[in-house]
Each structure stands twice: as C-alpha cells, then as structure tokens.
Amino acid sequence: SRTAASATLTVASSATISLSPAFGGPTSTVNVSGLGFGASESVLLLWDGDEQTGVQQGTATANASGSVTARFAVPSGAAFGAHTVGLFGTTTRRSVTASYRVVGLSSSATAVTTGQHVALSGNGFFGGERVFLYWNGDLFRERVAAGDLADLYPLKRLLDAGVAVAASSDSP
C-alpha cells in the first residue's frame, strides 16, 4: 500500500530597511525604518556588522504590523567612507542592512578674508563622484545644468548632517 505525506511550508517574508539621510558626518543623526519583523519583536540597531560583529546602537520594538522606526547618532570616531547599518529581529532572526556613507570636508584655512582662495578636501565620497557645493544656493544653482541638479549637496543639509564645511564667497 502507498502512504502519502504532506507538509505546509511557510516562506517568511524578508525584512526591508531605509535610512534618512544615507550620508553625513560623524555624530549625524540617522533615521532608520524597517518592515517585515514580527509583531512586538525586539529589533537591534547595528553599526558596521551583523548581530554578532556589529556595534549595537540601540533597540526598537516593532509595532503590530512588524514595522520599526529608530534613530541613532553616527559614532564620533567613524572613518570616512561606506559603512553598514543593520536591523536584526531577536525572535524571527530576520536581518537586513543598508549602506551609509560618512563624508566630510576639510579646508586649507580656518579663517578667510575677502578674495582669498581656499582649498577644500573631501573624504568618503565615491571615486569619480561629482560633488557640488554652493553658498546661499540660488544664484549658483541657476547656473547648473538641469541634469546636474541631483548632484548638488546643499550646504545647509551638510551642516545639519554634522559635516564640517568651509567655503568662501568666490564660488565658481
């Protein structure tokens, strides 16, 4: 006689994560949101690694639909460049990461006078990435081609993100 067996397989949904902003300087505040965790699950917020190697930045509790929100400050000693931010569900063991870039600018001078030229040096940007800076943006922004507008980094946004910025009124 033949025996039949059956089983039900439930495929767990994957978790998702988003960061806002996705770049900034050391000590910048990052807002993190995630989906796909268990209801009321404790979720670890991790910097540069997974649940075993990452540095825990906090814990959040998912709501009834498995959504979680948290915020943390980028570690003050974070090196320029790419880092990972992760969420790890302690019950479902779901894990997800996103990339965060620590960026910064330094200047050849700590103070400037009218007409003085200042050299800026950037760190943490992608190789070949076009980086635009502007001061009180409107006039400079009007001179930028429409296709390049997405590459502009408003100074206020950089300053709010904790990025040290030096500039002069002699923008190109």
Side-chain angles (χ1 to χ4, degrees):
S1 103
R2 293 186 175 201
T3 306
S6 66
T8 302
L9 176 64
T10 303
V11 178
S13 64
S14 60
T16 62
I17 186 174
S18 64
L19 307 178
S20 178
F23 71 91
T27 72
S28 297
T29 298
V30 181
N31 297 301
V32 182
S33 59
L35 300 170
F37 296 95
S40 302
E41 179 174 21
S42 180
V43 179
L44 304 180
L45 177 58
L46 303 164
W47 175 259
D48 269 350
D50 59 21
E51 67 277 7
Q52 294 178 7
T53 62
V55 177
Q56 187 173 337
Q57 298 297 308
T59 303
T61 301
N63 65 16
S65 60
S67 170
V68 64
T69 59
R71 65 182 0 194
F72 74 98
V74 173
S76 61
F80 294 122
H83 295 268
T84 57
V85 175
L87 294 173
F88 175 74
T90 59
T91 305
T92 62
R93 310 213 39 88
R94 289 183 188 142
S95 180
V96 63
T97 62
S99 181
Y100 183 87
R101 286 189 299 150
V102 176
V103 297
L105 295 172
S106 58
S107 169
S108 62
T110 56
V112 295
T113 60
T114 303
Q116 180 181 351
H117 290 267
V118 177
L120 295 176
S121 176
N123 291 291
F125 299 98
F126 291 121
E129 178 179 9
R130 293 173 22 186
V131 177
F132 291 91
L133 295 176
Y134 61 94
W135 182 262
N136 286 342
D138 296 338
L139 293 178
F140 179 69
R141 197 159 99 183
E142 289 173 8
R143 296 183 192 126
V144 175
D148 293 334
L149 288 175
D151 295 326
L152 292 177
Y153 289 98
L155 283 178
K156 181 166 180 3
R157 184 171 174 195
L158 289 170
L159 292 169
D160 289 347
V163 177
V165 176
S168 77
S169 60
D170 297 329
S171 295

